[in-house]
Amino acid sequence: MHPAGESVPESPESSTAPGAVPYVQGVHLQRTDENSREIDALASVLGGATGLDGLLGDLKYQARRSRIPARLLGRAVSEAYTWNDYDQRDPQWYPQGISTSADASDTETVSGRRVLLTTWYSTGRDGVKRGSRVTFLDLDTLKYRHVLLVIPVFDKAGTLSLRPMNIHAGGIVWAGQWLHIAATRRGFVTARVDDIMRVAGDDDRPDDIGVDGHRVASFGHRYVLPVRTTYKAFTDDGHQRLRYSFASLDRGTDPPAVVAGEYNTGSHLSRLARYQLDPDTWQLQTGSDGFSRPLEIDDGGVLRMQGVAVAGGRYHATVSHGPFMPGTIYAGSSGRLKPKRLALPMGPEDLSYWPSTDMLWSLSEHPRRRWIVAMKRSAFD
């Protein structure tokens, strides 16, 4: 993707064997083995997994429609919602990524519900680094619940322990039962919604995490979701490492693809990479060498790009101008992106597209200025 007026660089070298899919060389992802034994051990301590249905039946917090009219939050905003008062101002957690049940399912619902999913990262401003979490929000009731991302591990003595998943979580793709979460230089971490588990108590030990016999602490979160595998990022000699700052699902291709991109303030490249999904497993397509390689990498993206969604055959990219200036959306074909200024609230982050409604969804991150917004895609034509 290239800003308007800039020339399009030549594409990186691709595989060109007859009949081969033209994967781009130079960067790739390699999926680790699933840590099934550790997850099973955690489930044994917690009495089994509740899964997504169990979580959706126990949503606790109440979001609401924004008291500020949608159009005053951005020229392109059609709908606007916000978190409860505590999450709206909490300086310890910042919202980042967004996906929806329209990504997860062909019916655009899960368990009969329209669900919005966001990620948050812990700032550690109070001295406690709590990692990352995902939030499930029912769009009809506006009820929601936070779920802490965790890593169960065995120590040398075979004792189970629990760690937070310390990533920025700048983007997320909900594909089938899988959540693929952007982890910057690491690549992606991947969790399965069937693995959601309930922790006894709710706010008993909000500053602790760990396993003590049959008691689990999870920074005050009633639910935890263990990371099952990682797509580790690798770079060949002579190539610049790709940073997975955000991600979205493109259902406009067959099979669907994950579009990942880089945040850039001017000192690095700002690229977009497209990875094909396996429609049977909803995992990234893997070659005979065990690697997942991008179908394409598009160089020269927009500065301060926070999220990108492909809709109507066009790119749509959010750009933040800090905590006090409204955000911008760039839209168009590669090399012909045009800005729509004052389109979003200040501090916009990731993007996701809902096909049947032709709406783009985004969210903003700064305390006391946090909204979830929906925009008509046609506003950017």
Side-chain angles (χ1 to χ4, degrees):
M1 186 172 64
H2 310 275
E6 289 193 8
S7 60
V8 180
E10 294 182 2
S11 298
E13 181 183 355
S14 302
S15 59
T16 56
V21 177
Y23 294 115
V24 173
Q25 304 299 306
V27 300
H28 65 269
L29 297 166
Q30 186 172 19
R31 189 180 180 209
T32 63
D33 293 335
E34 294 187 15
N35 55 337
S36 302
R37 189 168 70 95
E38 293 86 347
I39 292 174
D40 290 345
L42 180 62
S44 179
V45 171
L46 293 176
T50 62
L52 183 61
D53 287 343
L55 172 72
L56 293 179
D58 190 29
L59 301 180
K60 178 179 181 180
Y61 304 109
Q62 184 67 57
R64 56 176 170 78
R65 285 190 174 271
S66 171
R67 295 190 180 100
I68 301 175
R71 291 289 290 178
L72 295 183
L73 293 174
R75 291 176 177 176
V77 176
S78 298
E79 302 174 33
Y81 308 88
T82 191
W83 311 100
N84 70 11
D85 289 343
Y86 183 87
D87 288 326
Q88 171 73 348
R89 64 177 186 269
D90 185 9
Q92 308 300 333
W93 290 95
Y94 270 54
Q96 295 292 298
I98 190 166
S99 187
T100 72
S101 54
D103 287 340
S105 168
D106 290 337
T107 66
E108 300 188 343
T109 62
V110 292
S111 301
R113 304 189 191 205
R114 299 185 310 130
V115 178
L116 187 123
L117 180 65
T118 70
T119 60
W120 306 60
Y121 77 91
S122 168
T123 62
R125 289 183 180 180
D126 63 349
V128 181
K129 193 72 173 177
R130 296 172 176 82
S132 305
R133 69 187 185 191
V134 293
T135 300
F136 293 80
L137 184 151
D138 186 316
L139 281 172
D140 294 312
T141 66
L142 296 184
K143 291 277 191 179
Y144 67 95
R145 173 78 83 165
H146 304 303
V147 180
L148 187 71
L149 289 172
V150 297
I151 311 169
V153 295
F154 290 116
D155 63 19
K156 292 181 179 179
T159 302
L160 182 68
S161 62
L162 204 61
R163 300 174 184 170
M165 183 73 254
N166 285 311
I167 57 174
H168 194 70
I172 185 169
V173 170
W174 189 358
Q177 63 178 329
W178 297 99
L179 306 181
H180 303 299
I181 305 166
T184 320
R185 293 184 180 276
R186 297 189 194 186
F188 290 100
V189 299
T190 296
R192 190 177 68 178
V193 294
D194 289 349
D195 293 330
I196 294 173
M197 302 176 195
R198 180 169 174 160
V199 178
D202 197 358
D203 297 307
D204 294 341
R205 291 185 284 173
D207 297 332
D208 295 332
I209 187 170
V211 180
D212 182 10
H214 290 281
R215 191 180 182 194
V216 174
S218 52
F219 291 134
H221 292 75
R222 177 67 64 87
Y223 289 87
V224 297
L225 176 58
V227 170
R228 185 165 280 269
T229 188
T230 299
Y231 284 95
K232 288 187 175 180
F234 292 92
T235 308
D236 296 338
D237 291 342
H239 294 265
Q240 185 169 339
R241 176 181 293 185
L242 186 70
R243 291 168 292 115
Y244 298 82
S245 302
F246 50 83
S248 65
L249 181 67
D250 182 4
R251 279 186 169 269
T253 61
D254 187 16
V258 170
V259 177
E262 298 179 299
Y263 175 77
N264 173 29
T265 57
S267 58
H268 299 281
L269 293 174
S270 187
R271 298 168 290 181
L272 292 173
R274 176 183 293 272
Y275 285 90
Q276 184 173 300
L277 281 173
D278 183 333
D280 295 325
T281 65
W282 291 104
Q283 294 286 349
L284 300 188
Q285 197 75 262
T286 301
S288 58
D289 58 2
F291 299 150
S292 297
R293 299 186 186 276
L295 291 170
E296 61 180 350
I297 295 180
D298 199 348
D299 294 326
V302 178
L303 292 179
R304 298 183 300 277
M305 189 165 55
Q306 300 278 5
V308 167
V310 180
R314 291 154 52 89
Y315 287 120
H316 302 77
T318 54
V319 171
S320 174
H321 305 292
F324 303 108
M325 292 293 293
T328 298
I329 284 192
Y330 282 79
S333 58
S334 181
R336 293 182 173 82
L337 289 172
K338 295 182 179 180
K340 187 177 184 70
R341 306 190 189 282
L342 309 179
L344 288 161
M346 54 288 290
E349 288 292 321
D350 203 18
L351 265 178
S352 185
Y353 178 58
W354 197 299
S356 70
T357 60
D358 201 30
M359 300 286 274
L360 291 161
W361 287 82
S362 187
L363 74 171
S364 54
E365 67 170 340
H366 297 292
R368 302 181 185 276
R369 292 179 293 279
R370 287 177 178 157
W371 291 275
I372 302 164
V373 297
M375 302 159 285
K376 294 179 180 177
R377 182 203 54 82
S378 58
F380 308 103
D381 286 346

